[in-house]
């Protein structure tokens, strides 16, 4: 596979552009402003669209309504405006004359422009003279017969070797012979390209008894001709081999035989009705014949050896008279057609197809007929061909100036400006004996013998664009006066349609030496207009004069070859400027400006002043070197450009309903001329695809390098001129009429300078783009493209030059291609400095400083990978990182990923961590992505994409950490297996990577890193490290249980228990997490514990901390109540759906005490839970507690009628409640509960033992003293039921048991009741009272009292 050559060795890339074009911007290129470039590009396209409209095409001028005939001509006596110029004369080589060895030789000659040769036959000898070289002659003498005619045709495909591209058809009176012609290119002695020919014998020859003439060929290799003697139409048919069905070479007479019925029979059998000429129409796939009686026929080749007659046009004289009745130029005597010429398809959009010219210069134009049958003959199946009809008669000029008069270089006096042009005094010249003609793109030349011996006069006709175009002229100069001979044509000079002016032409008569034998238009390279670009008409030379050589004709006479060149508008302008510079008269240049309009004139002045590769003669243009006018002329052109350019104008438009006025600028001629000239220079490439599929399937450049170089040179010359003359677009002071006028003028200049600035930016960028494309071409563009990814390749296939220069796709693609070139250089171990310098020097905007830094960085990575020295490697990697960091702004993500991969392989942790961090920062210079992340990273946030880009960069760091982790693990396994440690200690690499990551100050990255570590179960390690942003990360939305759990642990480890408690409290109460009640209770418990461990002195938050702790404890109490209620209700969770749903609610969130009481304890009628709620909330309202206790006792009463069972149940239910709630008056109102117990005891005193109530309360852990106080109150109260002596005696028995138990407890070792606290005196006094009031029969009670008294005496 071929290697792409290194840049330094690229000869063509360094030598292609000449010195001026190699100058480039030495300053740093400005950043590419795509909107400005796109705006400027739209201006260019507007100018190109205008170019397609300003000049009608030939057909439109001929078919204007009412314009069936015309005779308008611009004939000027001065040499400045003559339409054609004799460029040079080349005499027939002297050494040819030696072959004229006797007086009676037969000699013929003709032109073959396609191979740049003149053929000259002298008897049987054929000479091919290279007229470009001047003296070189090839000869062919291998046949014995006198040569009468030679023609050049295209060969049939596949019958000859590939080198043969033409065939010479050599006709003699008795034979026709074919010779193969191969063309090669070589440089002549003057370094100009020349065509070298080789002749090949073909053995294709045929004898004939008719001498053949007027040979023409078709694109597919068929050859038609006419017989000199019989005037029949013949075809020379040849094939590879003879067969039963045909000879190898045949001469088929299409006028007789098998196809006779297809050909017209002439009206009379007169023998003088002969075909005298055949002409091929390659693009329409047909050919025409002309007869001696002015009849034109059209044929179409139709299958092998056959043709189809389409139509015959006869009676043309009558048809012409109908179009131009009464014209003196139309008489039977002078109506003789000498030639017919094909009008190219591109030359007439309306379909003008054929032009015929007569001996006195009448031209007949034919186009497709609207309805068939205008003239005889109309075929079916004609392959899209339509019958022709005469559509326009163009009468000859009658006021031509005699060449002798023109040669006097007559100039009108300056005073005649503005009036009719003065005419020469001699009478006008009228052509009458034209015998040879040539036509191309609306230009006609024809010759006739002059009135002096040895001279021919050439009639030169070309469209006068100033009269048929819409060039924005404000003061179009008056027509030169027509002579009296033109009076008869007056009726043909007008048209009914003001929008479509009739054809008007320049006309002139030139004299050339010798008698004309042949004439031909010289082929020139014309670039195709790319699709999507408006196409100017073929006669609009204004659009093409600075982009291609002028049209030229060759006239071969018996003394030599005369070259005529069409003088373009810019040639006319150059002559005018020279005239102004020499003589100082401004009349001609003002007339030029008035003729061509301000904008066109400024455009041409700019082209002349800046220089152009097509400025000079065609001979000078082929070399592709910028031509310039003299400095004096350039200075005049520059001044005229400035003066004629005028000022921009600001037009305002009032916006109805608002106070604001909107305006637009009408630009000056300078800006319009600049835009127009610029647009015309880039027309061949602007909308063209940059590449097209090549033969081998890979993309190739879709433009010739020569054309690109020409475009670039002309653009550079323009840019150089504008750079040297910055004042050209500056405003000049004027006399303001008002302050308003000053403002509007300022607006106009501002708009103009803004537009010019955009155009100049586009100009610079375009020059660089062409340099860039040529550079890529040197590096085999197709191969470079094939190395791009599929998406880029697809984009390149659709990319136009305009896209490359002005679109984001263009920037993306150019960077991709540069990357491929650089990769290729690095792959070949070539320094990137050379190519980087050239790229920056020649196309800076396509290879920025940042790009170059990236290339150098990549080269450093390559060096680091190759070196054996650790210090050298570190140095290269550090330099690579420095350069990558500087260029981070333009690093694409895929490229970054690739670089990080390199750093990972080379264990370069600093690069693997720091570079993505730098890229993240560069991609978000305003921290919009960071703000989006802070705001929660919502997907509909316009900053979301920037935040995502940052996150992608962070992912690369995490990937690197993973890689270093894996390397560390593998290394440990490997070291364990082999006993040898790894080269770069992976543990050190890994640790360093983490150090760098944690050292970052990018909070968003830290957060990403923490999430990653937590996901890898490394939360404990993270908490031990407590890095800078961990607290903020754990507090950031969206909060999760895991983050909050880590947060409170973080605070604990950080010595902030109160904050830990706050987090735990928030977590316990959070409604957004689905936490079970047990878990919430645990968090509250931990919160209380942490709050309690808060040191008093920290931060002076003591009072707050106490309040917070109190609140937490209360919440914990409530939560514990909730848990108890939940556990109480849990067995009923499946009772009913709504019941289960309500019970489950208890497990999912924390409720307030009020909610627990009202939504659960009351609805589910949970007495104990109600009391619990009252107890915890310390709600002191006996009105609430008493009904609950009543309910408890009522339920017990309902459960059983047996007093003992009831007593046991009361014991079972009241004792736990008492133990739990006493001494809470909220839940355990002692006096009320004691009353309930005593009443039950009184009701059932026969069934219950004495002391039942007292002992039950003792079991409730009520203090003895309190029970005694309550019972003593009952004893003394006299309130029912204690107004009954039996009940009083019963309560006395209860008191006796109580005092006995109290004393026993107080005197017991390790007693809970302190002996010292025992109210001895009070009790002693009370016992005395109780005994005095005791009924005699209560012996047991009495015994208890007395025993008590003894105990008192004993212990106190």
């Amino acid at each position: 596979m071929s290697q792409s050559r290194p840049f330094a060795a690229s000869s063509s890339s360094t030598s292609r552009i000449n010195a001026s074009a190699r100058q480039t911007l030495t300053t740093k290129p400005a950043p590419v402003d795509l909107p400005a470039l796109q705006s400027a590009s739209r201006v260019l396209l507007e100018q190109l669209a205008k170019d397609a409209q300003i000049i009608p095409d030939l057909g439109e001028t001929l078919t204007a309504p009412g314009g069936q005939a015309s005779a308008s001509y611009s004939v000027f006596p001065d040499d400045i405006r003559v339409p054609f110029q004799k460029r040079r004369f080349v005499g027939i080589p002297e050494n040819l004359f030696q072959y004229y060895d006797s007086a009676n030789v037969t000699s013929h000659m003709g032109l073959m422009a396609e191979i740049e040769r003149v053929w000259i036959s002298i008897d049987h000898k054929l000479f091919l003279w290279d007229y470009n070289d001047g003296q070189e002659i090839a000869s062919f003498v291998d046949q014995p017969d006198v040569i009468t005619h030679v023609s050049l045709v295209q060969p049939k495909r596949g019958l000859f070797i590939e080198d043969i591209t033409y065939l010479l058809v050599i006709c003699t009176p008795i034979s026709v012979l074919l010779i193969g012609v191969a063309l090669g290119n070589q440089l002549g002695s003057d370094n100009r390209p020349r065509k070298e020919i080789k002749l090949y014998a073909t053995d294709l020859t045929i004898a004939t008894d008719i001498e053949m003439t007027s040979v023409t060929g078709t694109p597919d290799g068929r050859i038609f001709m006419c017989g000199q003697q019989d005037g029949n139409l013949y075809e020379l048919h040849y094939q590879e081999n003879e067969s039963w069905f045909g000879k190898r070479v045949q001469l088929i007479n299409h006028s007789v035989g098998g196809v006779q019925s297809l050909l017209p029979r002439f009206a009379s059998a007169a023998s003088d009705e002969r075909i005298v000429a055949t002409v091929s129409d390659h693009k329409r796939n047909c050919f025409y014949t002309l007869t001696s009686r002015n009849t034109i026929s059209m044929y179409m080749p139709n299958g092998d050896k056959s043709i189809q007659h389409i139509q015959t046009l006869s009676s043309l004289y009558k048809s012409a008279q109908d179009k131009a009745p009464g014209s003196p130029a139309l008489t039977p005597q002078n109506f003789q057609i000498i030639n017919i010429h094909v009008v190219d398809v591109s030359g007439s959009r309306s379909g003008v197809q054929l032009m015929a010219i007569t001996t006195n210069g009448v031209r007949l134009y034919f186009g497709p007929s609207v309805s068939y049958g205008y003239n005889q003959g109309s075929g079916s199946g004609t392959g899209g061909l339509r019958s022709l009809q005469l559509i326009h008669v163009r009468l000859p000029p009658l006021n031509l100036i005699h060449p002798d008069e023109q040669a006097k270089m007559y100039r009108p006096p300056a005073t005649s400006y503005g009036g009719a042009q003065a005419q020469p005094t001699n009478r006008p010249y009228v052509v009458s004996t034209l015998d040879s003609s040539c036509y191309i793109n609306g230009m006609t030349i024809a010759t006739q013998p002059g009135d002096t011996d040895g001279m021919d006069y050439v009639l030169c006709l070309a469209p006068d664009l100033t009269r048929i175009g819409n060039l924005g002229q404000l003061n179009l100069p008056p027509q030169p006066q027509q002579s009296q001979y033109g009076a008869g044509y007056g009726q043909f000079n007008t048209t009914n349609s003001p929008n479509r002016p009739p054809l008007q032409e320049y006309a002139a008569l030139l004299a050339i030496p010798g008698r004309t034998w042949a004439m031909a238009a010289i082929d020139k390279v014309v670039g195709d207009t790319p699709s999507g670009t408006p196409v100017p008409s073929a006669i609009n030379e204004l659009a093409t004069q600075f982009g291609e050589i002028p049209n030229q004709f060759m006239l071969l006479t018996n003394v030599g070859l005369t070259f005529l060149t069409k003088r373009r508008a810019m040639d006319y302008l150059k002559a005018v400027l020279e005239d102004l510079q020499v003589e100082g008269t401004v009349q001609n240049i003002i007339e030029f400006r008035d003729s061509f309009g301000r904008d066109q004139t400024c455009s041409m002045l700019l082209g002349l002043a800046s220089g152009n590769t097509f400025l000079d003669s065609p001979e000078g243009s082929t070399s592709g070197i910028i031509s310039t006018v003299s400095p004096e002329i350039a200075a005049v052109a520059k001044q005229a450009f400035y003066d004629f350019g005028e000022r921009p104008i600001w037009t305002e438009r009032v916006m109805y309903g608002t106070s604001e006025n909107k305006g637009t600028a009408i630009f000056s001629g300078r800006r319009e001329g600049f835009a127009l000239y610029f647009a015309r220079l880039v027309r061949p490439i602007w909308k063209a695809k940059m590449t097209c599929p090549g033969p081998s399937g890979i993309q190739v450049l879709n433009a010739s390098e020569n054309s690109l170089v020409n475009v670039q040179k002309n653009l550079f010359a323009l840019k150089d001129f504008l750079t040297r003359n910055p004042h050209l677009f500056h405003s000049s002071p004027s006399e303001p009429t008002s302050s308003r006028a000053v403002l509007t003028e300022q607006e106009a200049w501002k708009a103009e300078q803004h537009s010019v600035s955009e155009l100049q930016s586009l100009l610079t960028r375009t020059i660089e783009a062409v340099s860039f494309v040529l550079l890529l071409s040197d590096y085999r563009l197709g191969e470079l493209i094939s190395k791009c990814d599929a998406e880029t390749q697809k984009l390149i296939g659709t990319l136009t030059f305009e896209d490359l220069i002005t679109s984001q796709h263009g920037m993306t693609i150019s960077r991709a291609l540069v990357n491929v070139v650089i990769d290729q250089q690095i792959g070949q171990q070539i320094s990137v400095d050379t190519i980087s310098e050239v790229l920056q020097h020649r196309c800076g905007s396509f290879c920025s400083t940042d790009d170059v830094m990236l290339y150098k960085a990549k080269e450093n990575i390559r060096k680091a990978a190759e070196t054996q020295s650790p210090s050298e490697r570190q140095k290269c990697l550090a330099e690579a990182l420095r350069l990558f960091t500087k260029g981070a702004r333009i690093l694409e993500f895929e490229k970054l990923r690739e670089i990080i991969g390199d750093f990972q392989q080379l264990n370069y942790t600093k690069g693997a961590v720091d570079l993505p961090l730098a890229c993240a920062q560069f991609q978000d210079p305003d921290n919009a992505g960071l703000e989006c992340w802070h705001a929660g990273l919502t997907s509909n946030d316009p900053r979301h994409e920037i935040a995502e880009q940052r996150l992608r960069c962070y992912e690369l760091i995490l990937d690197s950490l993973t890689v270093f982790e894996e390397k560390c693990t593998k290394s440990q396994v490997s070291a364990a297996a082999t006993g040898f440690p790894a080269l770069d200690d992976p543990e050190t690499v890994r640790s360093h990577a983490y150090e760098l990551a944690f050292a970052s100050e990018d909070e968003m990255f830290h957060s990403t890193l923490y999430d990653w570590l937590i996901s890898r179960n490394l939360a404990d390690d993270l908490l031990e490290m407590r890095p800078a942003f961990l607290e903020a990360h754990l507090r950031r939305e969206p909060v999760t249980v895991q983050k909050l759990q880590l947060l409170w642990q973080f605070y604990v480890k950080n010595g902030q228990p109160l904050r830990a408690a706050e987090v735990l409290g928030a977590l316990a109460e959070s409604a957004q997490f689905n936490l079970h009640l047990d878990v919430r209770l645990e968090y509250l418990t931990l919160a209380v514990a942490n709050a309690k461990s808060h040191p008093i002195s920290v931060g002076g938050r003591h009072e707050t901390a106490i309040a917070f702790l109190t609140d937490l404890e209360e919440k914990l109490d409530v939560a514990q109540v909730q848990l108890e209620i939940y556990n109480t209700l849990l067995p009923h969770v499946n009772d009913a759906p709504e019941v289960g749903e309500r019970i489950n609610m208890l497990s999912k969130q924390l409720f307030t005490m009020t909610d627990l009481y009202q939504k659960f304890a009351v609805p589910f009628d949970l007495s104990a839970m109600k009391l619990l709620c009252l107890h915890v909330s310390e709600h002191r309202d006996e009105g609430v507690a008493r009904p609950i206790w009543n309910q408890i006792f009522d339920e017990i009463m309902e459960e059983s009628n047996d007093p003992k069972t009831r007593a046991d149940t009361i014991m079972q239910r009241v004792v736990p409640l008492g133990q739990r709630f006493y001494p809470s008056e909220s839940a355990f109102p002692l006096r009320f509960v004691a009353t309930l117990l005593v009443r039950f005891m009184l009701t059932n005193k026969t069934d219950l033992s004495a002391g039942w109530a007292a002992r039950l309360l003792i079991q409730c852990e009520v203090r003895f003293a309190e029970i005694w106080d309550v019972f003593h109150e009952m004893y003394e109260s006299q309130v029912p039921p204690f107004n009954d002596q039996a009940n009083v005696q019963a309560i006395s028995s209860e008191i006796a048991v109580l005092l006995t138990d109290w004393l026993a407890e107080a005197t017991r070792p390790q007693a809970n009741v302190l002996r010292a606290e025992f109210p001895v005196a009070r009790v002693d006094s009370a016992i005395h009272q109780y005994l005095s009031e005791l009924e005699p029969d209560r012996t047991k009670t009495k015994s208890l009292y007395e025993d008590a008294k003894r105990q008192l005496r004993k212990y106190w």
Side-chain angles (χ1 to χ4, degrees), residues 872-932:
E872 181 66 23
R873 183 171 71 167
Q874 280 303 112
K875 184 181 166 190
C876 289
L877 288 170
E879 179 63 9
L881 175 59
R882 185 185 73 80
L883 294 169
F884 277 135
T885 305
K886 281 182 78 175
R889 182 171 52 85
I890 58 157
L891 256 186
E892 293 165 6
F893 182 72
E894 286 308 314
K895 203 78 185 164
L896 176 62
R897 189 201 297 277
E898 193 180 308
I899 293 161
I900 298 306
D902 291 337
F903 283 152
Q904 289 169 1
Q905 277 191 318
L906 295 166
N907 287 331
Y908 187 49
T909 51
K910 187 167 177 57
V913 174
D914 286 358
L915 182 57
L917 286 172
C919 288
Q921 194 57 55
F922 273 115
Q923 286 172 2
D924 186 16
D926 305 325
N927 284 332
L930 186 62
E931 288 164 13
C932 172

Side-chain angles (χ1 to χ4, degrees), residues 1204-1219:
K1204 287 192 176 178
T1205 306
R1206 287 177 173 177
D1208 291 344
T1209 306
I1210 289 170
M1211 179 80 72
Q1212 288 166 9
R1213 294 195 189 168
V1214 175
V1215 169
L1217 294 174
Q1219 288 174 347

Side-chain angles (χ1 to χ4, degrees), residues 202-255:
T202 64
D203 296 333
L204 295 173
T205 182
I206 189 168
T208 171
D209 52 1
I210 302 288
E211 182 184 321
M212 295 297 162
T213 186
S214 187
V215 178
T216 188
T218 65
D220 59 356
R222 294 180 70 176
I223 304 170
F224 297 96
M225 55 194 77
C226 55
Q228 180 76 33
Q229 290 83 9
D230 62 4
N232 285 343
L233 175 65
Y234 290 89
E235 177 180 2
L236 180 67
H237 176 79
Y238 61 96
Q239 59 192 35
E240 192 169 5
N241 298 305
E242 292 207 12
S243 68
W244 289 353
F245 303 104
K247 297 177 181 177
R248 192 168 175 222
V249 187
Q250 286 176 273
L251 200 58
I252 301 164
N253 186 343
H254 285 300
S255 296

Side-chain angles (χ1 to χ4, degrees), residues 260-414:
Q260 186 172 355
S261 60
L262 295 176
L263 298 186
R265 292 206 171 272
F266 303 123
S268 69
S271 60
D272 59 349
E273 181 75 10
R274 301 179 300 106
I275 294 173
V276 293
T278 62
V279 176
S280 178
D281 188 340
H282 287 186
K283 289 188 179 173
R284 297 183 183 93
N285 190 31
C286 64
F287 66 94
Y288 313 93
T289 61
L290 171 68
T291 72
S292 55
R293 299 284 292 274
N294 301 324
T295 300
I296 298 171
S297 297
M298 177 166 59
Y299 304 95
M300 185 177 75
N302 183 20
D304 201 28
K305 301 188 193 177
S306 68
I307 57 172
Q308 180 179 357
H309 170 245
I310 306 297
Q311 178 189 18
T312 291
L313 294 155
S314 55
S315 307
L316 292 178
Y317 170 66
K318 182 177 183 309
S319 301
Q321 272 195 320
D322 291 343
K323 299 275 185 192
S327 166
L330 290 171
T331 63
Q333 293 75 28
N334 60 20
F335 190 81
Q336 181 62 50
I337 296 173
I338 56 165
N339 262 330
I340 52 176
H341 300 285
V342 173
V343 177
D344 192 83
V345 175
S346 64
S348 170
R349 289 186 279 258
S350 58
V352 176
Q353 193 164 325
L354 197 65
M355 186 269 279
I357 184 168
T358 68
T359 52
N360 65 339
V362 173
R363 281 167 292 158
L364 311 175
Y365 289 93
F366 300 90
S369 58
V370 178
S371 59
Y372 289 87
Y374 171 84
N375 265 327
Q376 55 176 297
S378 135
S380 60
T382 54
L385 288 172
R386 288 164 58 189
S387 296
L388 299 180
Q389 66 180 28
L390 178 63
I391 58 171
H392 192 89
V393 175
R394 181 81 178 145
L395 300 167
L398 300 183
N399 57 339
L400 289 166
I401 299 167
H402 194 284
D404 295 342
E405 293 287 336
Q406 190 89 42
K408 293 174 186 174
M409 297 172 66
Y410 174 82
R411 303 258 175 103

Side-chain angles (χ1 to χ4, degrees), residues 503-572:
L503 180 59
Q504 180 154 341
E505 293 174 293
Y506 289 117
L509 207 58
L510 302 179
I512 61 168
R515 199 63 275 284
T516 305
W517 275 85
M519 58 177 70
I522 296 179
D523 284 343
K524 65 174 183 176
V525 177
V526 179
D528 291 334
T529 302
S531 62
T533 306
V535 184
S537 72
I539 61 174
N540 181 6
E541 69 177 23
L542 296 176
T544 57
Q545 60 181 342
F546 285 104
E548 56 189 53
I549 60 173
N551 286 294
Q552 299 175 84
F553 293 89
M554 296 180 289
L555 290 86
L556 177 64
T557 67
N558 56 348
V559 294
L561 196 58
T562 299
F563 288 84
L564 286 188
T565 300
K566 170 71 176 69
R567 292 183 78 240
R568 303 158 293 181
M570 70 163 166
D571 299 314
Y572 171 14

